[in-house]
Amino acid sequence: MINGVSASLAEVLDGRWAHIRQAVRDELGAEFVTVPGETGHEARERVSRLIRELPTDVGVAAAFPAGYGGSDDPGGSTVAAEMLAQVDLSLMVKAGVQWGLFGGAVVALGTARHHDAYLRDIISADLMGCFAMTETGHGSDVQQLRTTCVYDPEAGHFVLNTPHEAARKDYIGNAARDGRMAVVFAQLITGGRSYGVHAWLVPIRDGHGNPMPGVTIGDAGPKAGLLGVDNGRLSFDHVTVPRDMLLDRYGQVAPDGTYTSTIENDTRRFFTMLGTLVRGRVTVGAAASAATRNALTIAVRYGESRRQFTAPGAEREIVLNDYLAHQRKLLPAVARSYAYAFAQEELAVTMSEVFALTEPDEHRQRELESRAAGLKAMQTWNATRTIQMCREACGGAGYLAENRIAGLKADTDVFTTFEGDNTVLLQLVAKGLLTGYRDAFGSLDGWGRATFVAEQVREMVLERTAARSLIQRLISAVPGRDEEVAVTDRGWHLAVFEDREKHILEGVIRRLRGGAATKKDRPFDIFNDVQDHVLATAAAHIDRITLEAFVAGIERATDPAARALLSKVCDLYALTTIEADKAWFLEHGRLTPARSKAVTAVVNDLLRELRPHLGTLVDAFAIPDEWLNAAVLREEPARQEAMAKEDDAVRAAVSG
């Protein structure tokens, strides 16, 4: 039970869906937690059983329509998945496949007849399913999938076929063991013409668990992590699929084979269909950050009890967390975790608002997709780096399976390439920003005066955030000369992040225009030549919206002590982000050498100020001890206490 400032911080972090977070904490006990040392078979058996035992009120089905047993709350469903990630990442992924990907696709791409026929059984897990999109030869480039589904008007059904080995559906969760039906993505062909990628509901096993005729099912084999998820492979040999199994919300095929859609352009229709599935990326980013908070909590608590080396004149060895080098590892990572928690909350709120619109808003949908892609990339990369750092911070103890960190590291490693490869996703973010330029000014050349572009693009690039008016006010209060502003000034942080994003984006535009002038007949080369710059643009954009979300989060704190502590943590996030990119800031004249040194000095001051609050900050993550399931947190304090008593006895004997 947490209390005091930690409780106030936890209330802010829990946000809009605090009731779902608390329900998961209250209802999921030790029986749901990862079991270290399991074999793959044991893990699959356990997770397959637990997926059916999850209480219905913990939010796993929240995104489904209320009429079928859900609560029309997509944001709540992502929060439920985030909480499951702190319990067992295999259980979270299994739930995500069942209710997020498989069930979510039926909701988003299907119509009432599909909902009536299948949603209740999907929610109850009586019908276990798969999401068969990725192919061996095509992962991120979904538009080029090779699986075909050809309509036969004489027979009145589709024929689904895997034309070659590279078109095999690969890495598919729930396929190897439990899936009975799959949402299969393939090229729709009717009347001799392809209408692009669509999705069908396809039975893959019969009632006895045997593959359906024409369906070949294989196991993806041993993996580095997520042992409880039965990833498999699917191939189809001219499988008959009834016409009404096409998920036809966006494209319909009549009995005579005539294709109709309210979205005439194939590419636009494809991206509209994929856009409805954005919840998967929102969930993966949230889960990665949740796992990171587990690792940080273990590492910080271990560092509070573990001792190494003595100072001159001291009788006891020094606690790990008292070393500046250790603080340099842990505290900036804790600050990033807070920042991403606030950014993720804002993303989930935005998603809920967009999904609730009665009329489509293409701009807001595009903004949501871009932000979901960027935050998924940055949060999953952060998880990979931070969990490794926590492993090192715990020394050999961090390498033991019984202390959980090794499992967290293995289970989250795939997140950087699942639900979209991170490098590809950051390009999607950058292209969204470039589209903003194009929408405002037309093509990439012929824009007129560069000063006009520079002035006008400011409002185009800086999309809405939760605290936009406050942020604008803070930035406006910053004096013109950086040397006159304290490096802890919030307005200065915001202005610096905005300036960096804007400058990098304008640099990309200049390089693209230069490439267009010399390589106008080679569009791939034009974009490929600036790919490094494009990725930097996207990262700077996500850094900026993350900082703004942190500022909005501070505004929600009502306890003065919690608010003051959050402000210090926000300072640390902003300044360590600037410090990590010092080369850019110095190279572009945004920092003088003296101010650059001041940033590092203030970071070290903040570490000393925040050191006494380190335990408070991770306690606010509100992770139940049984979820952490780390033997070292039970054993190390007792070991240190025993050593202290033994040392006292030795000193007493010597002095006596």
Side-chain angles (χ1 to χ4, degrees):
M1 176 67 71
I2 61 173
N3 49 47
V5 175
S6 286
S8 297
L9 291 172
E11 183 179 352
V12 179
L13 288 173
D14 278 358
R16 176 183 292 193
W17 291 278
H19 62 289
I20 288 179
R21 296 183 189 277
Q22 197 55 50
V24 182
R25 293 181 188 122
D26 291 342
E27 298 198 35
L28 299 194
E31 69 275 16
F32 285 93
V33 178
T34 299
V35 178
E38 283 181 308
T39 65
H41 175 73
E42 291 168 340
R44 288 183 179 186
E45 287 280 350
R46 179 179 59 83
V47 172
S48 291
R49 171 176 52 81
L50 291 176
I51 201 77
R52 294 174 172 85
E53 296 179 6
L54 283 171
T56 56
D57 58 350
V58 299
V60 291
F64 288 95
Y68 298 94
S71 53
D72 294 302
D73 184 6
S77 72
T78 64
V79 168
E82 176 185 342
M83 297 302 290
L84 282 182
Q86 295 188 320
V87 181
D88 184 336
L89 282 154
S90 283
L91 185 60
M92 184 282 298
V93 171
K94 186 91 168 173
V97 170
Q98 173 67 16
W99 293 302
L101 294 177
F102 175 59
V106 175
V107 171
L109 303 180
T111 52
R113 71 174 184 276
H114 304 112
H115 299 172
D116 291 342
Y118 301 110
L119 286 190
R120 290 181 181 85
D121 286 344
I122 291 173
I123 292 172
S124 67
D126 289 333
L127 174 61
M128 294 292 288
C130 316
F131 185 83
M133 178 183 281
T134 299
E135 296 179 357
T136 304
H138 284 88
S140 298
D141 191 5
V142 178
Q143 216 167 354
Q144 301 301 320
L145 295 180
R146 297 297 192 250
T147 302
T148 60
C149 205
V150 181
Y151 185 68
D152 181 347
E154 292 186 6
H157 61 235
F158 288 94
V159 178
L160 177 67
N161 191 53
T162 303
H164 48 71
E165 187 73 6
R168 177 187 65 189
K169 298 296 181 182
D170 216 342
Y171 318 118
I172 311 302
N174 269 359
R177 170 194 163 109
D178 292 330
R180 294 295 180 268
M181 185 174 282
V183 171
V184 179
F185 289 79
Q187 302 287 345
L188 188 157
I189 299 171
T190 182
R193 179 190 162 185
S194 174
Y195 288 88
V197 174
H198 288 64
W200 289 259
L201 275 170
V202 182
I204 60 171
R205 286 185 173 90
D206 62 22
H208 302 289
N210 300 312
M212 294 291 286
V215 179
T216 300
I217 303 175
D219 195 307
K223 299 170 294 181
L226 297 175
L227 300 185
V229 182
D230 52 323
N231 294 93
R233 296 170 172 139
L234 300 172
S235 296
F236 307 95
D237 184 5
H238 298 88
V239 173
T240 297
V241 181
R243 186 176 63 87
D244 62 2
M245 297 297 267
L246 170 66
L247 295 175
D248 58 352
R249 178 179 176 185
Y250 295 102
Q252 304 80 39
V253 174
D256 66 357
T258 302
Y259 180 86
T260 56
S261 174
T262 56
I263 305 173
E264 292 185 7
N265 181 274
D266 290 354
T267 299
R268 187 160 173 259
R269 182 172 57 250
F270 167 76
F271 283 107
T272 299
M273 291 171 61
L274 286 195
T276 64
L277 306 175
V278 69
R279 187 157 51 96
R281 285 175 183 163
V282 176
T283 298
V284 170
S289 282
T292 303
R293 293 194 291 274
N294 277 36
L296 280 167
T297 302
I298 294 168
V300 166
R301 291 183 181 173
Y302 178 77
E304 290 290 1
S305 59
R306 178 71 171 178
R307 293 174 177 271
Q308 291 276 33
F309 306 108
T310 55
E315 294 184 345
R316 298 289 309 278
E317 290 176 297
I318 297 168
V319 171
L320 286 183
N321 287 349
D322 285 343
Y323 286 101
L324 176 64
H326 213 67
Q327 295 163 19
R328 270 274 177 182
K329 293 178 182 179
L330 294 176
L331 271 164
V334 169
R336 282 195 304 276
S337 282
Y338 271 74
Y340 285 134
F342 290 127
Q344 180 66 32
E345 165 85 359
E346 188 174 305
L347 176 63
V349 169
T350 300
M351 181 182 69
S352 292
E353 292 172 351
V354 170
F355 283 11
L357 294 173
T358 55
E359 293 293 330
D361 184 331
E362 189 172 337
H363 175 76
R364 292 203 69 190
Q365 177 70 33
R366 190 170 64 193
E367 181 187 341
L368 169 64
E369 292 165 12
S370 174
R371 190 166 297 188
L375 277 170
K376 182 269 179 182
M378 299 299 274
Q379 288 186 94
T380 55
W381 271 329
N382 179 63
T384 297
R385 291 190 299 266
T386 303
I387 295 172
Q388 172 63 21
M389 178 274 294
C390 289
R391 206 293 297 158
E392 295 177 19
C394 292
Y399 197 61
L400 299 178
E402 67 178 9
N403 292 323
R404 191 71 190 281
I405 293 178
L408 293 170
K409 180 181 172 186
D411 287 346
T412 57
D413 191 44
V414 73
F415 284 15
T416 58
T417 53
F418 130 142
E419 282 295 310
D421 176 272
N422 283 357
T423 300
V424 175
L425 292 183
L426 283 190
Q427 290 180 73
L428 186 155
V429 175
K431 286 179 179 179
L433 298 174
L434 293 170
T435 300
Y437 268 93
R438 189 189 66 210
D439 290 349
F441 308 109
S443 65
L444 289 176
D445 41 43
W447 283 357
R449 293 185 300 113
T451 53
F452 172 77
V453 173
E455 287 299 314
Q456 296 299 311
V457 80
R458 179 180 179 84
E459 297 306 317
M460 175 56 63
V461 175
L462 304 178
E463 294 284 5
R464 296 183 299 273
T465 62
R468 189 71 222 156
S469 58
L470 168 66
I471 288 158
Q472 203 58 55
R473 189 166 67 250
L474 289 169
I475 292 172
S476 299
V478 178
R481 291 175 55 83
D482 282 353
E483 290 76 8
E484 300 172 12
V485 187
V487 295
T488 53
D489 184 279
R490 184 75 66 243
W492 181 71
H493 298 161
L494 292 161
V496 164
F497 277 52
E498 285 195 358
D499 175 69
R500 180 179 59 155
E501 177 188 351
K502 178 170 169 284
H503 183 93
I504 295 174
L505 180 55
E506 289 173 347
V508 170
I509 294 298
R510 284 192 297 272
R511 290 180 66 187
L512 285 170
R513 291 177 68 184
T518 58
K519 305 174 184 176
K520 58 185 176 181
D521 57 339
R522 296 175 1 236
F524 170 79
D525 290 341
I526 294 170
F527 190 79
N528 195 47
D529 287 350
V530 301
Q531 206 166 35
D532 57 334
H533 215 147
V534 163
L535 297 174
T537 299
H541 174 71
I542 299 302
D543 282 347
R544 193 262 300 170
I545 65 171
T546 300
L547 176 60
E548 292 187 358
F550 204 144
V551 173
I554 295 171
E555 290 299 298
R556 298 205 305 269
T558 56
D559 176 12
R563 191 183 181 98
L565 185 54
L566 277 175
S567 185
K568 292 288 185 185
V569 176
C570 188
D571 287 345
L572 184 61
Y573 167 71
L575 291 176
T576 50
T577 302
I578 292 170
E579 185 182 46
D581 206 12
K582 268 187 178 183
W584 186 91
F585 287 107
L586 286 165
E587 187 177 85
H588 293 83
R590 265 52 179 189
L591 288 178
T592 64
R595 195 162 178 82
S596 174
K597 292 177 182 178
V599 167
T600 294
V602 172
V603 166
N604 286 338
D605 290 342
L606 283 168
L607 296 175
R608 284 186 283 271
E609 289 181 53
L610 289 170
R611 163 63 186 101
H613 306 286
L614 186 50
T616 297
L617 291 170
V618 297
D619 286 350
F621 295 151
I623 306 170
D625 289 345
E626 60 190 358
W627 289 8
L628 293 173
N629 196 28
V632 73
L633 298 186
R634 300 185 292 271
E635 297 168 357
E636 188 62 28
R639 183 182 297 116
Q640 291 296 330
E641 184 178 353
M643 289 172 60
K645 288 180 179 178
E646 185 176 330
D647 289 346
D648 289 343
V650 170
R651 280 191 291 270
V654 171
S655 62

